Amino acid sequence: MFLSKVPPLSRLNLLLLICTGLFSACAVGPDFKQPDAPKAKSYTESPLSQKLTAAPGVPGGTPQEFTEGADIEAQWWTLYKSPELDALIKKALEQNPSLGAADAALRAAQENVSAQIGGQYFPAVSVGGAATRQLQPSAIYGLPYGSDTYNLYNTSVNVTYKLDVFGGARRAVEGARAQAEVAQFQLEGAYLSLTANVVTGAVKEAALRAQMQATEEILKAQINLADVTEKQLKIGTVNKVDLTSQQTLVASSQVDLFNYERNLAFARNQLALLVGELPSNANIAKFDLSNLHLPEKLPLSIPSSLVRQRPDVRAAEAQLKAQNAFVGVATANLLPQFNITGSIGSAALTSAALFGPNSALWSIGGGILQPLFQGGQLLAQRRGAIANYEQAAFQYQATVLNAFQEVANALRALETGAQALKAASDAERYAYETLDLVQQQYKLGTTSYLAVLYYQNQYQQAKVKSVAAQATRFSDTAALFAALGGGWWNREGPAFKPKDIANKDQNETSGTN
């Protein structure tokens, strides 16, 4: 009775107002609660040294100390003070295809949120019109004569709305938003992984180059000694075994040199991949350990903040939030479904009369649907949603544990790496001094060739180990920055910064559907 007194357009507006007012209903399913941060006061089982062991005079021997509670710079790699490294990372952030794919995945997830909001929260409104010419026998009206041929014109505005009484739509949107958060933190994780890999790749390239250079120097000394031994063989002061042993050592060092050349090529090819270039076109800079600066201050976040900084932990948390929302969606599907439909328009036998006083038509209707039996499908879907939530909870726990393990490993690696570099640099220096003395004694004929051979091997091993220890110090520092989250929260601008996006508007449309 009330609606019959309301004008047609006002009825449609009233319908939309009722639909909007129903948003205040409660949503079924559990509300998401952010997991508490682990209660830990430190990362390692035993206390860390505040200052790390220094090795003066060698690359990577800079004294380092931890600064507890300090924030991490967004561009932490600039602390290495290498313009070549900065340029390489900038290029990678513009061209790396994996980072670009993660960025596209985020944009797709964000558009899905908009689609869910539009489809779940708002009525579907459509407008239509038709013109038909038709023949109908009079018998369908109960009349005994002939048939009628006539034209029929009509136009209408239709509204369909599903009432979100139990919050299933809101949970669906909540789940879509959480999945967009997953994509966002996966992008941040790709950004962190890319920058860390470029740094460690550059360090590896520099280390291989240094080891290759050291091997070349050792090989040159071995060849010189082989020439001396060959001359001594001619005058009879040494035997043939001494010469062949030295020649064997020369050949062995040549094999090592070839291996370093191969691994160096592989390392440069890997850097080309990271910057999104073909190996033949990458034009990668040559890195030198002596030109890299080791950061002296190492920020150490408090343990409780780690779960808010690590992109993988945040992604796991967002996935947990999404699965929690989907439990609500599955629960709402078990309950009655309400919908309202409305239509307003006109119909006439001529186009001129289509909007005349006697052509108006309208309808308003409502419906309710309560699922009774679907073979257990809805109950099984809800049980599956709960199981998915439990799986996400366990995965979150595993991700947190892995995050703390990586930080603890990085801290211990830094501590022992500093000590190892000091010992390795001392060993290299002592081995070189010993070899130099023994070679002089050998040339004077006061020591045996076996002594020279032994100390040559000893120095070669010490030199290679020293270079490896230097590279480890740079890589372990990068590993700590990455394990603590990399400072992405301090970055200005997007993670992926392409120079140019081809066919940018290829998939864009001007519609609002």
Side-chain angles (χ1 to χ4, degrees):
M1 295 293 293
F2 170 72
L3 286 176
S4 64
K5 300 178 181 180
V6 179
L9 288 175
S10 298
R11 293 190 189 104
L12 185 58
N13 293 333
L14 180 61
L15 173 65
L16 298 176
L17 181 62
I18 293 173
C19 296
T20 304
L22 288 172
F23 276 127
S24 60
C26 297
V28 296
D31 292 327
F32 178 74
K33 180 182 178 182
Q34 187 180 50
D36 295 329
K39 297 179 179 179
K41 296 182 179 180
S42 63
Y43 292 103
T44 56
E45 184 178 7
S46 56
L48 289 167
S49 301
Q50 191 69 23
K51 294 184 178 181
L52 301 180
T53 303
V58 298
T62 304
Q64 291 180 303
E65 62 177 316
F66 296 111
T67 306
E68 295 186 6
D71 202 4
I72 302 173
E73 295 185 22
Q75 296 182 339
W76 53 268
W77 54 86
T78 59
L79 298 175
Y80 286 86
K81 298 181 180 179
S82 170
E84 294 81 10
L85 180 60
D86 296 344
L88 196 65
I89 291 181
K90 180 182 179 182
K91 190 175 183 180
L93 295 177
E94 294 174 347
Q95 299 183 173
N96 182 268
S98 297
L99 188 63
D103 179 73
L106 171 59
R107 288 185 279 112
Q110 291 171 337
E111 293 299 335
N112 184 55
V113 173
S114 300
Q116 286 288 338
I117 292 174
Q120 299 285 355
Y121 284 174
F122 296 97
V125 182
S126 61
V127 60
T132 60
R133 181 172 178 80
Q134 55 192 36
L135 170 67
Q136 289 185 338
S138 301
I140 65 174
Y141 302 113
L143 301 176
Y145 56 83
S147 60
D148 294 324
T149 300
Y150 59 93
N151 298 328
L152 181 63
Y153 302 88
N154 65 73
T155 182
S156 64
V157 176
N158 303 299
V159 179
T160 304
Y161 184 70
K162 182 179 179 181
L163 299 179
D164 190 24
V165 177
F166 298 105
R170 275 163 288 166
R171 293 301 190 196
V173 172
E174 180 183 329
R177 282 182 171 144
Q179 289 181 320
E181 289 181 20
V182 173
Q184 174 188 348
F185 291 117
Q186 286 177 339
L187 172 60
E188 296 297 350
Y191 172 89
L192 175 58
S193 177
L194 175 61
T195 53
N197 285 339
V198 172
V199 172
T200 55
V203 170
K204 182 178 180 181
E205 198 264 4
L208 288 169
R209 192 176 300 281
Q211 290 173 326
M212 183 174 166
Q213 182 179 357
T215 303
E216 289 174 344
E217 293 174 357
I218 294 170
L219 177 60
K220 183 179 179 181
Q222 290 172 343
I223 292 175
N224 290 336
L225 187 58
D227 293 339
V228 172
T229 305
E230 186 174 8
K231 293 177 181 178
Q232 291 178 335
L233 176 62
K234 292 179 180 179
I235 63 177
T237 58
V238 299
N239 57 42
K240 182 67 173 179
V241 174
D242 294 336
L243 177 60
T244 55
S245 297
Q246 182 64 27
Q247 290 173 335
T248 301
L249 193 60
V250 169
S252 178
S253 295
Q254 289 175 332
V255 171
D256 292 338
L257 189 60
F258 293 141
N259 288 333
Y260 285 131
E261 289 179 352
R262 180 195 62 184
N263 293 336
L264 179 60
F266 288 175
R268 293 181 64 79
N269 292 343
Q270 180 64 28
L271 287 174
L273 172 66
L274 292 174
V275 300
E277 292 277 8
L278 297 174
S280 58
N281 301 335
N283 193 24
I284 302 296
K286 295 180 180 180
F287 292 93
D288 191 330
L289 289 177
S290 61
N291 293 333
L292 295 176
H293 174 78
L294 194 67
E296 299 175 8
K297 302 291 185 180
L298 296 176
L300 186 58
S301 307
I302 58 176
S304 59
S305 65
L306 183 64
V307 294
R308 306 291 177 247
Q309 296 178 181
R310 291 265 303 208
D312 56 343
V313 175
R314 296 292 298 273
E317 180 185 319
Q319 184 63 36
L320 182 64
K321 184 191 298 185
Q323 296 303 328
N324 179 82
F326 295 150
V327 172
V329 174
T331 303
N333 289 339
L334 294 168
L335 302 173
Q337 310 295 315
F338 299 88
N339 64 78
I340 295 177
T341 59
S343 176
I344 184 171
S346 61
L349 296 176
T350 65
S351 59
L354 186 59
F355 299 102
N358 297 319
S359 63
L361 58 86
W362 61 267
S363 68
I364 294 179
I368 180 172
L369 175 66
Q370 170 61 59
L372 295 178
F373 177 75
Q374 294 187 9
Q377 176 186 2
L378 298 180
L379 287 173
Q381 288 175 342
R382 185 175 185 274
R383 290 194 297 269
I386 294 174
N388 287 335
Y389 173 80
E390 293 173 351
Q391 179 190 16
F394 285 120
Q395 290 174 338
Y396 174 80
Q397 294 175 14
T399 305
V400 171
L401 291 174
N402 180 70
F404 275 81
Q405 179 195 20
E406 288 187 359
V407 175
N409 288 347
L411 292 174
R412 285 305 180 195
L414 280 167
E415 186 177 46
T416 58
Q419 297 168 346
L421 176 57
K422 178 65 168 59
S425 62
D426 290 342
E428 179 192 353
R429 185 175 69 256
Y430 297 145
Y432 177 78
E433 292 174 357
T434 303
L435 175 60
D436 185 58
L437 290 173
V438 171
Q439 285 179 335
Q440 292 179 23
Q441 293 172 356
Y442 176 69
K443 293 176 182 179
L444 296 174
T446 59
T447 189
S448 69
Y449 172 76
L450 291 177
V452 176
L453 185 64
Y454 172 79
Y455 288 112
Q456 278 184 335
N457 283 326
Q458 191 178 61
Y459 173 67
Q460 182 178 11
Q461 294 175 5
K463 180 67 175 179
V464 171
K465 285 183 179 180
S466 179
V467 172
Q470 295 168 22
T472 298
R473 295 282 282 123
F474 289 103
S475 297
D476 287 344
T477 299
L480 177 64
F481 281 105
L484 292 174
W488 57 269
W489 54 92
N490 291 323
R491 186 189 65 242
E492 296 181 0
F496 183 54
K497 303 176 181 179
K499 289 182 179 179
D500 183 28
I501 301 177
N503 302 322
K504 180 179 178 181
D505 301 325
Q506 180 176 356
N507 297 320
E508 293 184 0
T509 60
S510 59
T512 57
N513 292 332

